[in-house]
Amino acid sequence: MELVEALHTENIMKLTYQYREGVDGMDNMLTRFRHADDKLFYRINGSKELYRSFFGYVTHLGGARFSVGSIFILFFLGQYYSWLMDTVIAAAVSLIISHILMMLLKKGVKRIRPYMTLPGAIIHGYPFKDHSFPSGHSTAIFSITIPFMIHYPITMLVLFPLSWLVGYSRVVLGVHYPSDVLAGAFLAFATTMMVILFI
């Protein structure tokens, strides 16, 4: 009986040790990821004033006015070029759904903007106060462009670099970490794939 209890206790201790090792390993991995994210942020954010001014204009391509406005313009064009309409609808639905998911993630994760937490971070333009993860501008621009890149692959030559410039601009301007941008792009891609599959 004592032998069974001893073996049981030993097994519990082993499992506890393995669990702690797993947790410590996960913590170390997250810490390394945060350091890499911060390091890349500083590298991109520490740009010259002229460079930041250029991206101050580019970033508006992922803003609410441009995103919604471009959808309306595309709907208008779809009245004359009917072959565009399926893609326009996919882009519109992707934009709406991804925006809702993005807002839920922001409220759930509650990541503070880098310019508010990282010493020496440069803020350029409007100092957004809401949460950082994921990037709303990146989510919006990719939600609109990905349907066109899927349906008309040749457009990728222009739309892919343009979309990444918008995402890159968010880091240059100090309002997002690089991982926020990647998360926004991935959210847009996942949403678009679901929309195209089910609509």
Side-chain angles (χ1 to χ4, degrees):
M1 188 68 178
E2 290 180 358
L3 180 61
V4 172
E5 288 181 355
L7 289 171
H8 181 65
T9 302
E10 185 180 348
N11 285 334
I12 291 175
M13 290 177 67
K14 282 182 179 179
L15 289 171
T16 303
Y17 178 74
Q18 289 172 355
Y19 172 77
R20 286 177 178 171
E21 273 195 329
V23 170
D24 290 341
M26 183 65 71
D27 286 343
N28 290 335
M29 187 169 70
L30 288 173
T31 299
R32 288 196 296 270
F33 174 78
R34 289 193 193 101
H35 285 325
D37 205 22
D38 291 350
K39 187 176 180 180
L40 185 57
F41 170 84
Y42 278 121
R43 183 173 295 181
I44 298 172
N45 181 242
S47 308
K48 295 180 180 180
E49 181 64 29
L50 181 62
Y51 192 58
R52 292 198 302 273
S53 296
F54 166 73
F55 280 104
Y57 291 105
V58 171
T59 200
H60 292 301
L61 296 177
R65 290 180 182 177
F66 184 87
S67 299
V68 175
S70 63
I71 290 295
F72 277 114
I73 292 171
L74 288 168
F75 263 116
F76 177 77
L77 291 174
Q79 305 303 312
Y80 297 94
Y81 305 99
S82 57
W83 49 271
L84 270 178
M85 193 53 76
D86 286 345
T87 310
V88 174
I89 292 172
V93 175
S94 297
L95 180 65
I96 293 168
I97 294 175
S98 65
H99 180 76
I100 294 170
L101 294 174
M102 179 268 298
M103 293 301 295
L104 291 173
L105 280 170
K106 279 182 181 286
K107 291 180 179 180
V109 177
K110 296 181 180 178
R111 190 181 197 183
I112 301 173
R113 299 271 179 178
Y115 78 89
M116 300 172 73
T117 57
L118 295 182
I122 302 169
I123 178 69
H124 182 82
Y126 183 77
F128 289 85
K129 301 294 184 183
D130 61 335
H131 300 300
S132 179
F133 183 93
S135 165
H137 281 63
S138 301
T139 304
I141 189 68
F142 276 101
S143 293
I144 295 171
T145 59
I146 287 175
F148 285 91
M149 289 190 278
I150 291 174
H151 289 164
Y152 311 106
I154 191 66
T155 63
M156 191 180 297
L157 295 174
V158 174
L159 296 181
F160 188 73
L162 183 66
S163 300
W164 275 116
L165 280 175
V166 172
Y168 190 83
S169 74
R170 306 309 289 161
V171 185
V172 172
L173 302 180
V175 292
H176 281 292
Y177 292 92
S179 57
D180 297 337
V181 172
L182 290 174
F186 178 78
L187 175 60
F189 174 76
T191 305
T192 302
M193 293 308 295
M194 286 190 294
V195 168
I196 288 175
L197 285 173
F198 292 106
I199 290 184

